[in-house]
Amino acid sequence: MKTIDQINEKISSGKALVLTAEEVIDYVDKKGLEKAAKEVDVVTTATFGPMCSSGCFLNFGHSKPKMRITEAWLDDVSAYSGIAAVDLFLGATQLRANDPANLEYPGDFRFGGGHVMEKLVKGEEIQLFALSYGTDEYPRKELRTRFTIDDLNQAMMVNPRNCYQNYNVAINTSDKAIHTYLGYLKPHMKNCGYSSAGQLSPLLNDPYFRTIGIGTRIWLAGAQGHVYSEGTQHAPTCERGHLGVPSEGAGTLALTGDMKKMLPEFVRGVSLKGYGISLSLGVGIPIPILDEQMLLQTTIRDRDIKAQVIDYSTDYPERNGRVLGSVSYEELRSGSIDLNGTKVEAGGLSSYAGAVKIANILKEEIRSGQFLLTSPIAPLPAEQSMKAMKETT
Amino acid sequence: MITKKMLLYFPQCATESPIVYHLVKDYDLMINIFRARVTPDEEGFLLLDVSGSEENILKGSDYLRSLKIQINETVKGVSWDRDKCVQCGSCVPHCPTEALTMPDRTIMELKFNSNECVECLSCIKVCPFGALSSIF
Ligand code: SF4
Ligand code: SF4
């Protein structure tokens, strides 16, 4: 019915009708699918939550005399230097050197890779400490200097797994409290933790990856980045519910973008007590409304998206595969769920208010012609399962 | 009878006087201590509710000041940094009172009502963004 080129023309001439994935629900309810599909050009989706599989490549330029860095720390957080002389990779979950971790359980995990990434985007000064064995053309063996993101040649965020299509809900059936990446879980199923933007979440609005694919231009914390691959653990072969929306993790995206253009509000270090460090990241993805079917997909609402409740005290660590029940995001967002007759308080780690904000920012950028849509250069795999680790005896 | 929340700050020259005893006995005040950290030779804090007649509260306050204890009625023990908060809501189920809430679940924004805070400190441990902190 509409092509991406036609939609881009409308965007460029300032005539595109853009709605957020929240607004489109009421719009279609009022206008009817057929009429709305003719009018709506783009639906913006977004998410803002912890995404551990994130990191960045940094290039420092050469010191005088030159150095081929073999070990490096950024504000005492170790960065991988097994690449070219002054390229480093900093991972979001890397803990600062000398942090006692869980030696005194539960550890605080105050500072790590995610926080260094936050400081970089904020334009704050960071210390680089580097060592090397020295070579004929790279004689320098030790280096300590301070820099900001402006001093770097490149700061490229490269995230192997972001935007999980859906995610499970963590609960604790044991009789002692546990600390997980989905938060602090009280004993005897007193509370549960979840992490998804639900009806706003990108891959829940395009569950079969019809418009989101490799090469899709995205809004990555304010910068225009793109999807460079399927994400690690991409496993779309799964249980699906209403409109084909998965009720488990399913698809994932690998994303990249220029950190020099990012907004600090949406790149945030995370300290999870007893667990470790992560990075909360804001992502927005536009969905071109090609036809009625695509519009229908974007009308998915929280009450129709289900997530599985998993016991993180035994079943999750032991990989038992047991599911305690299923709940909707409408319930989760209300602050409490009914799990087989018991009321359980619910708290999220993903910011719904933040996702709404991003969906609106992206909407404005498209409306004002600053952000154009792209066709994928290749689709994401539609059928694929996740393997468990092969362990030799 | 009125109730006032007070944060008492003891500089290093901490008093040896049993101040709570005197506030109760000499000024007829009711004391509800939320949280305290008073160690010899170091600065200390005491966070409490004081209830009694306005006159007695004033007199009791003068007594505390005479011991060089600083009284702060506006600073709270636990504070919320709006700029650091990402509105995730993970603190809400851990707050035993209505101090941390998301009153409108359609917009999912956090509200901090410090008058309801009982200084249990649970939220500080669960906030992944360091948005909640205690002054002591
Ligand atoms: S200290 Fe306790 S009562 Fe106060 S806001 Fe935090 S959780 Fe609520
Ligand atoms: S846990 Fe922290 S960041 Fe999340 S809503 Fe509460 S105060 Fe804000």
Side-chain angles (χ1 to χ4, degrees):
Chain A
M1 208 172 87
K2 265 183 251 161
T3 65
I4 297 206
D5 285 341
Q6 287 166 340
I7 293 173
N8 276 339
E9 269 168 40
K10 284 181 89 176
I11 295 172
S12 299
S13 59
K15 286 188 195 129
L17 176 58
V18 188
L19 298 175
T20 69
E22 200 183 54
E23 293 163 344
V24 73
I25 298 171
D26 284 346
Y27 195 86
V28 172
D29 272 354
K30 276 198 205 99
K31 299 248 173 170
L33 190 67
E34 199 184 332
K35 188 144 183 273
K38 291 203 181 84
E39 294 172 7
V40 184
D41 298 299
V42 184
V43 169
T44 59
T45 65
T47 181
F48 181 26
M51 304 191 198
C52 288
S53 236
S54 301
C56 55
F57 285 100
L58 309 175
N59 178 283
F60 288 83
H62 285 284
S63 58
K64 192 175 172 183
K66 286 186 177 177
M67 179 173 180
R68 190 240 164 287
I69 296 174
T70 55
E71 280 182 278
W73 292 264
L74 301 169
D75 276 353
D76 293 334
V77 179
S78 171
Y80 181 73
S81 57
I83 37 180
V86 287
D87 281 335
L88 296 179
F89 180 78
L90 174 69
T93 70
Q94 186 70 45
L95 185 57
R96 178 165 56 189
N98 298 324
D99 187 292
N102 264 341
L103 217 53
E104 251 180 76
Y105 179 83
D108 285 334
F109 300 95
R110 293 231 168 97
F111 193 85
H115 299 94
V116 177
M117 289 169 78
E118 175 178 332
K119 281 183 75 176
L120 263 175
V121 174
K122 268 191 193 152
E124 288 179 9
E125 209 174 51
I126 292 164
Q127 176 188 259
L128 164 68
F129 177 64
L131 297 172
S132 176
Y133 45 77
T135 72
D136 290 339
E137 75 277 51
Y138 294 108
R140 193 150 174 185
K141 291 184 175 167
E142 196 179 316
L143 174 83
R144 195 185 292 273
T145 184
R146 306 192 68 81
F147 71 97
T148 70
I149 195 166
D150 295 334
D151 301 316
L152 301 176
N153 291 307
Q154 284 78 26
M156 309 179 316
M157 192 180 275
V158 179
N159 306 338
R161 181 168 72 254
N162 286 168
C163 293
Y164 241 123
Q165 195 157 17
N166 197 346
Y167 214 80
N168 58 48
V169 178
I171 202 164
N172 173 16
T173 63
S174 78
D175 52 17
K176 73 176 213 329
I178 59 171
H179 293 84
T180 74
Y181 63 78
L182 283 170
Y184 174 66
L185 301 175
K186 298 181 218 176
H188 306 297
M189 306 200 285
K190 286 277 176 296
N191 69 317
C192 66
Y194 69 100
S195 186
S196 170
Q199 64 195 13
L200 273 170
S201 195
L203 293 180
L204 292 174
N205 283 278
D206 185 7
Y208 296 111
F209 323 122
R210 233 188 111 196
T211 67
I212 303 174
I214 297 164
T216 297
R217 181 179 295 136
I218 56 157
W219 187 99
L220 188 56
Q224 291 190 9
H226 63 269
V227 177
Y228 69 85
S229 163
E230 67 184 77
T232 51
Q233 296 180 18
H234 179 74
T237 304
C238 66
E239 193 190 290
R240 288 173 187 261
H242 187 66
L243 295 177
V245 162
S247 47
E248 14 177 347
T252 68
L253 299 174
L255 307 180
T256 184
D258 182 356
M259 285 175 90
K260 294 193 180 206
K261 298 191 180 125
M262 291 185 183
L263 305 170
E265 183 182 350
F266 301 107
V267 181
R268 306 289 299 276
V270 170
S271 295
L272 291 158
K273 203 173 173 71
Y275 175 76
I277 306 290
S278 189
L279 179 79
S280 243
L281 191 61
V283 182
I285 304 187
I287 296 183
I289 301 306
L290 303 171
D291 51 28
E292 282 177 28
Q293 181 56 32
M294 205 57 243
L295 181 66
L296 182 65
Q297 294 290 356
T298 64
T299 59
I300 189 77
R301 56 187 95 205
D302 279 340
R303 67 165 184 253
D304 294 323
I305 308 170
K306 302 277 192 243
Q308 297 177 336
V309 183
I310 310 270
D311 180 6
Y312 272 54
S313 69
T314 55
D315 295 330
Y316 182 85
E318 296 301 330
R319 228 184 71 208
N320 292 337
R322 190 166 67 120
V323 176
L324 297 183
S326 165
V327 289
S328 75
Y329 280 98
E330 184 176 51
E331 276 189 273
L332 288 162
R333 253 179 73 197
S334 76
S336 73
I337 61 167
D338 178 334
L339 185 65
N340 311 320
T342 317
K343 189 183 163 210
V344 181
E345 283 193 89
L349 269 186
S350 181
S351 168
Y352 190 84
V356 172
K357 193 168 177 183
I358 293 166
N360 279 302
I361 295 174
L362 178 56
K363 174 175 141 178
E364 280 317 309
E365 288 184 9
I366 296 170
R367 278 226 295 232
S368 60
Q370 299 164 55
F371 194 111
L372 291 174
L373 273 48
T374 52
S375 304
I377 54 173
L380 295 166
E383 289 291 338
Q384 184 166 293
S385 301
M386 188 177 151
K387 294 188 189 104
M389 184 184 281
K390 178 186 170 187
E391 295 178 80
T392 52
T393 45
Chain B
M1 173 142 124
I2 55 165
T3 299
K4 273 193 178 161
K5 200 169 191 177
M6 287 181 180
L7 174 72
L8 307 186
Y9 171 67
F10 302 75
Q12 250 164 350
C13 56
T15 170
E16 303 268 298
S17 313
I19 57 153
V20 172
Y21 169 84
H22 284 295
L23 289 177
V24 175
K25 190 89 177 149
D26 304 349
Y27 302 97
D28 196 21
L29 296 172
M30 264 170 21
I31 308 291
N32 183 13
I33 300 178
F34 289 110
R35 209 144 61 86
R37 198 187 71 196
V38 188
T39 39
D41 304 327
E42 272 177 54
E43 58 173 15
F45 295 89
L46 188 59
L47 201 96
L48 35 74
D49 262 354
V50 180
S51 308
S53 72
E54 193 156 7
E55 197 194 340
N56 282 343
I57 291 180
L58 279 175
K59 281 186 189 158
S61 302
D62 286 343
Y63 156 72
L64 292 172
R65 285 196 194 91
S66 74
L67 298 171
K68 297 208 164 45
I69 295 168
Q70 294 166 22
I71 304 174
N72 197 322
E73 288 173 25
T74 49
V75 169
K76 310 287 179 187
V78 170
S79 61
W80 172 61
D81 183 335
R82 185 183 293 271
D83 293 331
K84 283 189 181 164
C85 175
V86 304
Q87 321 277 357
C88 66
S90 61
C91 52
V92 176
H94 299 281
C95 180
T97 68
E98 297 283 292
L100 288 163
T101 53
M102 279 189 162
D104 182 350
R105 291 275 167 175
T106 58
I107 57 168
M108 304 290 281
E109 280 176 6
L110 188 81
K111 196 163 160 263
F112 178 53
N113 180 358
S114 60
N115 292 332
E116 298 283 331
C117 175
V118 293
E119 308 271 335
C120 73
L121 307 185
S122 332
C123 58
I124 294 172
K125 286 179 252 165
V126 298
C127 174
F129 298 89
L132 291 153
S133 58
S134 162
I135 57 161
F136 67 95

